[in-house]
Structures are given as structure tokens and as C-alpha cells.
Amino acid sequence: MIRAFDTLSLPLMRWLDPEDAHRLAIQGLRLLPPIRPKPDDPKLAVRAFGLNFPNPIGMAAGFDKNAEVPDALLRLGFGFVEIGSVTPIPQGGNPKPRLFRLERDEAVINRMGFNNDGADIVLQRLASRAQLGGIVGVNVGANKDSLDRVADYVKLIETFAPVASYFTVNVSSPNTPGLRNLQQAAILDDLLARVIDARERVRTKAGDSPVLLKIAPDLSLSELDDVVHVARSRRVDGMIVSNTTLARPSSLRDQAKAKEQGGLSGRPLFRLSTRMVAETFVRAEGAFPLIGVGGIDSGGAALTKIRAGASLVQIYSSLIYKGLRLVDDIKTDLSSTLLRTGREQLSEIVGADAATITAEDWPVK
Ligand SMILES: Cc1cc2nc3c(=O)[nH]c(=O)nc-3n(C[C@H](O)[C@H](O)[C@H](O)COP(=O)(O)O)c2cc1C
């Protein structure tokens, strides 16, 4: 059924304005019949952050910003879904157009600017599906005009703790002016201290919620030293590497669209974000697991990300070009690789190539 859906919808979607196509995809998923997902190969199960993931493929933040279709996505075979970014107060985001397809590069540029329905509405949606189970993470961000951005994150942790399988503290969106400054060591230290403190305060009432930190791929290695150091000392449960990049590789073929402001994602992000996964992995020294995201568009690419150091992966942009069948294709590929190489679990290969990757030349920007 997914293949039939892809065959019909992909050509139509590409013909539409990207943001209209996204809205249509969400509407389509809302209408998805309550099919039962195929059971996953038990070898693909991953335990991380105290959670049991049925498979390692997650829907990345930004697709279902408002928690409209997390259960449809889980039914389609994702092992977990990250909703958001959510901000405390609803926000319209940047003026349109703000989403661009670079078709020949299988890439996307977006400058959405945290458009979302706000915490109250998103909380209602998550509360109404809470008994359905499945791993649904909540990605939190600050309002553009907030006078105290750290307080926004704290408020969101307190609000969503009862319904979030995990939290992602997003300090890496390039589309909210100044947000990425929260990655600076002293500011990040204060932010994480207050976020972890909030999590502990609500723990008895709301249960445990792992806190993950999502970073930009554009950090320098000395900035990454600081970020990982702070994340370890504040005992975050994991990191997500990475968000979109501000870089514009000269290899981009759609040079006209490449001039649009915003974050670049999809295939051209793959090498840089994979390098950052490996660099983070060697610095984390096993203190916490990583989620690798950026340009994954095949089973081979997912495997490379895992061998670079990711225990789990997420995808977004490639779904626009490859369709929803990609989730199944990646899982099938990972299963057959495990079978072929006589391994019992993916965890056996996490980070196997990190040292080699970090010794390579820096990916050309
Ligand atoms: C249209 C769009 C909106 C996004 N919105 C968010 C967001 O709200 N919060 C966030 O942390 N990441 C957001 N992202 C980044 C993705 O979660 C992901 O980190 C990035 O796109 C790299 O993965 P990909 O190459 O598989 O798309 C967005 C990406 C796209 C393309």
C-alpha cells in the first residue's frame, strides 16, 4: 500500500509548491487507515536513553511540528517520531516562500522559523494519544520574541514531561536569530543545568524523560569540544547530530536556489553531518548514545551513520525524493547486512568507523 501511495503521490507532490505538498502529506497521513505495522526484525531493536526502540529509524523534527500524525508515522514503520519544534506561544514563522526543493541535489533549504501551534494545542494532541504507546519525542525551542529563552525551554519541559518519551533541546535551528548562540559553553551550561533541574522537579509526577541536545553541523571542532564537555558534565542523556547547515557546498547543482537563506538538508548534508557524528562519538567516549541525522537516503547511508557512531538515525528530506517506502527499504537493508555479517545487533557496529572517519580530510564545504 505504501508503494502504491508513493507511486501516485510523489509526482504530484513535486509539482506542488513545497509547503502545500507538506500540508497535503500531513492531511494524507491523517486519513491513513489504522493498518497494523509489519513487526520489526528483533535484531533491529535498540535500547538507548532507557527506552526500547523497535527499530532505529526515526522521523526527524520539523515534519510533524504540531503532533498531528505521530501514530500514522509509527504505523508506517518508523521506530520513533520526534514532533516539534514546539515553542511556548504559537508562532507564524517567517514570511513565505520559506521552503525550497533543490531537486537536482536531492536537497532542501528551509527558513521556516519555528512555525507551530504552540504548547497548549500540541499538548492536547499528545495527551489524547498518550495511551497508544510508541516512542514520541518532543523537540522544544524558544519563541522568537522571548525575553528569556532559557525560561521557555524550562516551561516546555515542565509542560510536556507527562507525554514526552524524550525531549530534544534544539539550540541549532539557523532560522531563529541568535538561537545558535545557546551553543556557547557558558550559556549552554546554564541552559542545560536549568533544563535538567526542571526534568528532576517533575520526575515524581511525570516519570522519567531523557533529555537530548541537538546541535548544528557548523560548529568548529573546538566549539564541539566545549559542547560535548558541557553535555557530559550536565549529564544529558544523548545528543542529536545534526540540524541543517548554513554552508553551501560548491558542488550544489541548483545554484540559483542555493542562494536562498536558511538551513540546507538532504544529500549534500550527509558527509558533513556524518563527520560531526564521528567527532561527537569520539568525544562522548560512551557517556551517552547519539542519534545521527542528515542526508540519509538509503540503507547504506544509514549504515555509514551507525558505523560513524549513531545508535539511532532520523530522516526527513530524503522522504520528499524517495517516498515513504524508504523506511522499509532501510530496515530491510540493515537486517540483511546484520544477517550477512553474522551480527546479532546493530549495537555491535555503532562507532566502528569513528576513528577512521575522524582521520580523513575535512569534507569539502
Ligand atoms: C522543512 C524542515 C523543517 C525543519 N524543522 C525543524 C525543527 O523545527 N526543529 C529541528 O530540530 N529540526 C528541524 N529540521 C531539521 C531536521 O530535523 C534534520 O535535522 C535535518 O533536516 C537533516 O536531516 P535530513 O537531511 O534527513 O533532512 C527541519 C528540516 C526541514 C527540511
Side-chain angles (χ1 to χ4, degrees), residues 86 174 222:
V86 187
S222 72

Side-chain angles (χ1 to χ4, degrees), residues 176-199:
T176 296
L179 193 88
R180 285 180 163 204
N181 294 341
L182 295 172
Q183 294 173 119
Q184 286 167 23
I187 307 175
L188 185 65
D189 189 52
D190 174 55
L191 169 67
L192 291 180
R194 289 175 57 188
V195 159
I196 298 284
D197 188 51
R199 191 266 307 269

Side-chain angles (χ1 to χ4, degrees), residues 3 38-41 44 55-57 77 298-300 302-303 325-340 346:
R3 278 168 207 278
K38 271 194 290 184
D40 282 317
D41 175 356
L44 293 184
N55 73 68
I57 320 298
S298 66
L303 197 67
R325 73 182 71 177
L326 183 61
V327 183
D328 241 11
D329 290 351
I330 294 178
K331 290 196 290 186
T332 307
D333 262 20
L334 291 179
S335 281
S336 52
T337 303
L338 287 176
L339 195 67
R340 203 178 54 244
L346 283 171

Side-chain angles (χ1 to χ4, degrees), residues 60-63 65 82 84-85 99 108 110 112 114 139 170 172 214 242-244 265-267 269 293-296 314-318:
F63 177 77
K65 283 180 187 271
E82 187 168 311
S85 295
L99 181 58
V108 172
N110 93 82
M112 305 299 287
F114 284 174
N139 180 308
N170 177 14
S172 46
K214 183 167 179 180
S242 72
N243 216 310
T244 56
S265 56
R267 185 176 277 197
L269 175 60
V293 51
I296 297 173
Q314 292 176 323
I315 56 179
Y316 184 169
S317 301
S318 56

